[in-house]
Each structure stands twice: as structure tokens, then as C-alpha cells.
Amino acid sequence: MIKDKEECWSEFWNLLLMSIRCIKKPYFQIERDTIEEGSPLVWRERAYCYELYHQIRCHLPYDYPYKLHGEIDKKGHQEVNKFFKEEYLFTWDDSEYECIKDYLIERYSDVDWLRSTVFRKTSDICIEASEGRKSISLNLKGKRVSVKRNKKEILSFKAKNENSKTKIYKSSKIPNPDFVLHIPRSEDNLAVIEIKVGEMDRLNRENCENDLSKLEIFIDKIKYKHGVFLVFGGSFDHVKEIIEKCKTKERCKLIKENKLNIIYHEKAEEFPYCITVASCNGQDKLVIQKCKFCEILLRISPNM
């Protein structure tokens, strides 16, 4: 019997959670000899990825139709290159000012004042919004747009004229995803996975935003059915804070639709936390909790 994509995804999602649960301490954190102060235990993304790959392969049924591959080089893939070759894409047009404003409000928590202001042209190549001593300006320089907050540049992106609205995406380079689940030499792509260490000095808003943006492009443009952002290690509070800062309406929508999945693996040999979205008084709120599937498995086999 041929399984449909959603059956395949449900099966993979469950075995992914079990595979994460099977990662033991020597692979979750590596013990090293060190003369420096502090813990000799360190988180290493590559070691974690290799062990997770091993565990997933061990759990995958022999007749599973999709293949799991790690760090596939996408530089020669024309469809991927089309969406990652520019750092930013944006339509520079008078009608897009509100779109710019909405994007900045979603990305930066301290510019809510933009809601009650309007952008005004200060020249043919500059628009500005201000309130008291606070200001946001966009300056067109050739084909690039410089975004300044209180006269200090915070963003720079390429302006691209199109007839319809263009979403803003950010990517520093053409990515090699940590894992892809696909049928090679076809357009049948089930899932793409990015993995990050949650340590305070290694997970920040910028690189979290970068990885989530990559996943959005793979889902929205390159037609992967699902994207997974997996964070491991570090502190629960720090990871929660960073993910909260990267919350946008579009991402909440993708999470609700089960297209974007964010999970946090806090400790070795334990099930991860899953991030879901709950609506309260018209506002989307991120909820971080052990998923129901994990709770069911623990009740059935607490020593698993």
C-alpha cells in the first residue's frame, strides 16, 4: 500500500522525536580535556547531527519511500539559487510603505511606535518616519536600500522592482541544510531540517532569524512540505526568549498549519519540547511544552 505524504510525514515526525530521545550524553555533550576554567563539557553541532542521523536511520522502516540526506550541497540547484542569491528581496514602491512598516514592527520589538506614524518622503531616494527623537529612515542607494534607526544602519537589502508585493527574506549564503528528506532527482521534497546549539553565546536573534528565514523559503518557494528548526542544549529560558523574539505572524501561521515545526531538546535521553501556537484575544502566543505523542509514549513505556 502506497502511503500519502501526510502519512509519511506523521511517521517521520514520530520517529524523529523517538530518535532525539535516544541521543545519549556522550553525543549530546562532548567531554574534553581543557586547562580553561569552566565545564569540560561542550555542545558540538556536528557530533549531535551525526548521532541524530544515525538514530533516525535506525528507526526508519526499510520500505520508507523518502531518503534522508545530510548537508546536501544546493549551490548547483537552479531553483534554490533563485531564492538565495540575494541577501534581501523587496519591492521599492510607494504602495509598499505599509508592508515595510509591518515587517520592521514584527522584527524589532522596540519600534511599535511606527504603528501610529507614516513614512514621508524627504527626497527622491529617502523616506522617513519619526516620533520625538526616534526615527526610521530608508535610503535608496543604487539598487540597495539602507534602513537606519536613529541614524544607525540596522538593515541593508537589495531593492527589486516587481508588479506584486514581494516578501522580505534574509539569507547570508546559499544554504546546505543539515538534513533533507526527499526523493532524489525529483521535486518530491518532504522535509528540511536546520539544527542549532542553544548555548547563550551561540544562539542569538540574528542566526535564529537567518535559519527560520531559510526554512520559510524552502517551504514557501521551493515547496518542501515541512520545515524543522531543532535547537539543542543551552538553557530553556534563553532559547525561549530568542524564539519569542523571532515570532512573526507568518511563522505563527506556518506553525498552525504544521508546515514549520520548532523543537527544543534540553537534555540528553529525554523527549524534546515542541513549540505550538495558541490564540488568545486575537493574539498569537507561543507555547513550549512536551508534545502529546511524547507523553503517550512515556505512559506506555516509562523506561523507554
Side-chain angles (χ1 to χ4, degrees), residues 9-22:
W9 167 249
S10 179
E11 183 175 10
F12 179 77
W13 175 250
N14 291 340
L15 69 85
L16 172 64
L17 297 176
M18 289 190 290
S19 298
I20 291 171
R21 170 73 165 76
C22 289

Side-chain angles (χ1 to χ4, degrees), residues 119-130:
F119 280 106
R120 57 186 176 83
K121 279 193 174 182
T122 57
S123 72
D124 288 339
I125 60 170
C126 181
I127 59 173
E128 185 178 87
S130 61

